[in-house]
Amino acid sequence: MRICIIIFCTLVLLNNAQFIETSRYYDGSKLTVNFQNVNPGEYYKNVTSPIYPNFTVEVTEDGKNQLTLRILNPLDTFEIPHKFPFPYTKSDSSHGEYDYSVNEDGNFFSVSRYDGSPVFTITNATVLSLLYSELHTQLLSEDIFGFGERRLHSFRIPKGEFSIWNHDFWEFDTQVGFSLYGAHPVILQKYNSQYHIVLLRSSRPMTLERTDDELIYRVTGGQLEFKIFIGRQNPKELIKQYHQYLNGWELHPFWSSGWHQSRWGYENSTVLKNVVRNYKEAKIPLEVIWTDLDYMEERKDFTLNEDNYPREDIQKITDRTKPDGVHWVPIVDPGIAVDSDCGRDLVKSGAYIKSNRQTKTPYVGVVWPEEVYFTDFNHPKAYELWHKCHKDWFTNYQIAPSGIWIDMNELANFRDGEQVNGSKLNDEIFELKDLPWDAMGTVTLEGHTIAIDALHEGKGVYFNGSTTYIPELDLHNFNGFLEQIEQRKLLQAIQNKTLIFQLSRSSIFGSGRFSAIWFGDNGSTWAWLRSSVYQMFNFNLFGIPFVGDDICGFNKDTTPQLCARWIQLGAFYPFARDHNAFGQKDQEPYLYEITKISAQKSIQLRYEFLKYYYYLFISQRDSTLQAGSGTIVDPLWFKYQSDPQTFNIETQFQLGNIIVNPVVDEQTDESLNYTELQFYVPLGAYWVSFENGQRIPNGWNTINRTFTDNAYLALEAGSVIQHSNATGVMRLREMSSDIDLIVVLNELGQASGSYMSINNYDDEETILQRCWNDQTTCIRNISVRTFKDSLQFTNAKAKNDNSEEINIKNIIIYRNQQIFRVEINVSSFTQSWQINF
């Protein structure tokens, strides 16, 4: 046994505590090390935050490239469950290909690769107390990403201190407390051309400070658990393993890939009908119309203001048996009006978040309908209540939304903290003044949300522990996650579908399995436009790839040039929705000439590649999870990391074999109707222009893009890409089942790729049965090679093929810096064919 003393010092050099190692035990896959405090009774700043009397370090080998570090204390009882629907380690009996140590060589903890290359090192744990812990870790390089959700001016994490606490806030992160709606305390780091991921698996408020040589974790106490993934040179493979730990992400229905139009301020259904009609007259595709608070009676959930939104109008707008019918998605907030049928049902059920000031009394917040209750989605009766409120809403008003938009679920609250006077009822549950430190700084943990001592069910559906209640301090970051689970279940039950669509603002690690996410409120500025690309990269890392930003901006008035460029970029978001705020200038794309032309061209271009985009999701099906795993939208360096310049390219992105190069900078010279687009082709890459087939030189390129040009697309040589004719398509159901194949020959005259062989993408049961299950696939693989004066095609099916026969109408060939279109009308079941030049 190795005995050693570790000295812990607080930030203010007070309350020094000495711990001695008392024992260690290794059972072949887990190391356990126990420590004892030789100066018990000390505390950190407040007597409410005693230094641990003892603690245990557990290191569990989770397979050849994963391990878990846990720092466990006897003072905390709350723990995130290690089972579905929460992230958990899947079984892997492989021996770990890494070395690790606890309390050795002057470090608290260290893990490295077999070659000695460091991965994650906790150099010192300066404080370990009930309500504050501080861990100093080694910063290995500046190539570090993640730790969100927040708005930054770069994909990399810059120097500074950054909070995590789900928060109704929309500005760029310039100080502690400026975190946004999601909790993703995960980092991806590159060192010596290899990658690793570290997740701090905690729901407590925290900050991460990046200095010149350290990453410093500051956490509001709790059990500390780090999940570590050790990768090699391929970041996509590593991120896929992280997604598997998160339980993967769920597939969305195809219609939700279409173009969406929304705004807060569609005051009545006449306006809504005019929007749909104006899209049609402008010849701009539209798949989904959204309604914000405007459709409600007094802004109350589960109502319909039939003076402004007669049910007959909603039914007509959403009648998709008619050519003009669209999908409809209304907003639902978690704050249930006190004076509403659902609010009264909520009180009867007892499934509400409770005040810690009045016994068993609902916590009262203030949101859009004034005073509201909040559903406690951990309560055993929450699902029944939430299902009833939705079912009654749909039935009473005879409406059938295609999906639901769940907003404000951080939880947002228009007054800070608890407003009921009086002492707290549960002394063991801490209130804000008990904390020795506030991870949100001057914003405070209760800024624009409910009190941290509000009470959730302790013996509930998802968290079932030893205490009667669980405080908001522990469950705050899970509020949106639990709502996503219950909302998904009830939509599946009511719609009798497996593939459903819901959009959430709040998220946490694991949310991708249950909901799509948008980036929340943004601003109509060029900085917000650029940041949306970084956000796509981050959420693909976080395991939520079906994401997007409010196109043209939510807050502030947009400009025609900005909106046009945003439409061109947004046409390649996974989720594409134009949305803006009440009181802002209208920004529907048909309102300005340059936005109208941009939308006509860019949305049609989106639709041409939409089946390929959907294929990218389908191709990431993970049979071990019955869900998807892996990234969809990638920065260039994911593939071209041998060129160091790609690590500085943050506004170009890759979708499979398509590279999107959008204009993200304003043209300030009013005499010009174009912008110089500078984009980079990595060394060793062979890209051709989608527009003219010309090979694009490696290195920096500059071309002029008018305000109405779509985003500049490059195609990777050697690829086969599924394509559709979207000319004149206003609704996705109008698309032909015929497909084209774009063949981009490389220097050897070869190409390969895959495509989905499915007739009707709106037939969700067919998609599930043929494409998204454990036994079968609808994906077919195709390879092309040049032989003398012909192209020879080999069309292979998998052993478990369950595809449908479709017509391959055209082959679009990129060869010798030219584009050739050949109509062939070949069955997708044809095994081989050739085209003569």
Side-chain angles (χ1 to χ4, degrees), residues 318-428:
T318 60
D319 183 0
R320 292 183 298 281
T321 66
K322 302 293 193 298
D324 294 339
V326 293
H327 292 272
W328 170 51
V329 177
I331 195 170
V332 172
D333 289 337
I336 307 302
V338 169
D339 183 22
S340 70
D341 290 342
C342 187
R344 286 182 281 273
D345 288 343
L346 177 61
V347 173
K348 291 177 184 176
S349 73
Y352 47 78
I353 296 175
K354 298 172 176 61
S355 168
N356 196 23
R357 296 294 185 275
Q358 298 183 12
T359 303
K360 297 183 179 180
T361 297
Y363 187 102
V364 179
V366 173
V367 197
W368 300 114
E370 300 300 333
E371 290 195 334
V372 298
Y373 304 134
F374 298 103
T375 304
D376 176 5
F377 290 102
N378 193 47
H379 196 284
K381 294 183 179 179
Y383 174 77
E384 179 183 352
L385 177 279
W386 207 237
H387 183 280
K388 180 180 186 301
C389 292
H390 281 80
K391 184 71 172 177
D392 289 350
W393 178 37
F394 296 166
T395 302
N396 293 341
Y397 295 104
Q398 297 177 304
I399 54 176
S402 295
I404 295 293
W405 172 18
I406 48 178
D407 194 12
M408 309 287 285
N409 51 346
E410 293 75 33
L411 298 162
N413 183 22
F414 292 166
R415 60 187 179 196
D416 299 347
E418 177 67 87
Q419 297 298 303
V420 177
N421 295 322
S423 59
K424 59 185 180 181
L425 300 176
N426 299 270
D427 288 335
E428 72 278 7

Side-chain angles (χ1 to χ4, degrees), residues 61-223:
E61 300 166 16
D62 298 326
K64 70 177 184 178
N65 64 348
Q66 299 180 28
L67 72 160
T68 301
L69 166 69
R70 305 179 75 202
I71 304 172
L72 305 174
N73 73 83
L75 304 180
D76 271 300
T77 58
F78 176 79
E79 190 170 0
I80 301 170
H82 291 83
K83 61 181 181 180
F84 190 85
F86 302 96
Y88 68 98
T89 299
K90 286 36 174 197
S91 59
D92 185 347
S93 58
S94 304
H95 180 68
E97 296 179 358
Y98 44 76
D99 294 317
Y100 63 89
S101 63
V102 174
N103 193 21
E104 294 181 15
D105 302 322
N107 293 318
F108 181 79
F109 169 80
S110 180
V111 59
S112 61
R113 294 182 171 85
Y114 274 160
D115 62 6
S117 177
V119 173
F120 181 63
T121 300
I122 300 176
T123 55
N124 196 2
T126 55
V127 181
L128 290 174
S129 72
L130 180 60
L131 293 175
Y132 180 79
S133 293
E134 181 175 323
L135 305 175
H136 291 241
T137 72
Q138 184 180 13
L139 177 65
L140 298 175
S141 76
E142 293 185 352
D143 292 324
I144 184 167
F145 312 90
F147 205 78
E149 175 190 6
R150 68 196 72 258
R151 290 274 183 175
L152 296 172
H153 294 284
S154 171
F155 183 28
R156 282 188 180 87
I157 301 173
K159 292 180 184 177
E161 187 170 8
F162 306 99
S163 304
I164 281 188
W165 183 246
N166 290 358
H167 180 210
D168 180 13
F169 185 76
W170 66 282
E171 296 281 2
F172 277 85
D173 195 331
T174 57
Q175 70 176 61
V176 170
F178 278 19
S179 61
L180 297 181
Y181 316 101
H184 300 275
V186 60
I187 60 170
L188 167 68
Q189 188 164 28
K190 172 178 175 274
Y191 178 67
N192 280 351
S193 300
Q194 298 187 97
Y195 297 86
H196 63 267
I197 286 174
V198 178
L199 168 70
L200 175 50
R201 193 178 189 271
S202 172
S203 59
R204 287 284 182 94
M206 67 181 76
T207 68
L208 178 74
E209 181 180 3
R210 195 205 130 182
T211 69
D212 287 331
D213 57 1
E214 283 190 316
L215 291 174
I216 304 170
Y217 291 88
R218 298 183 175 97
V219 190
T220 310
Q223 310 288 10

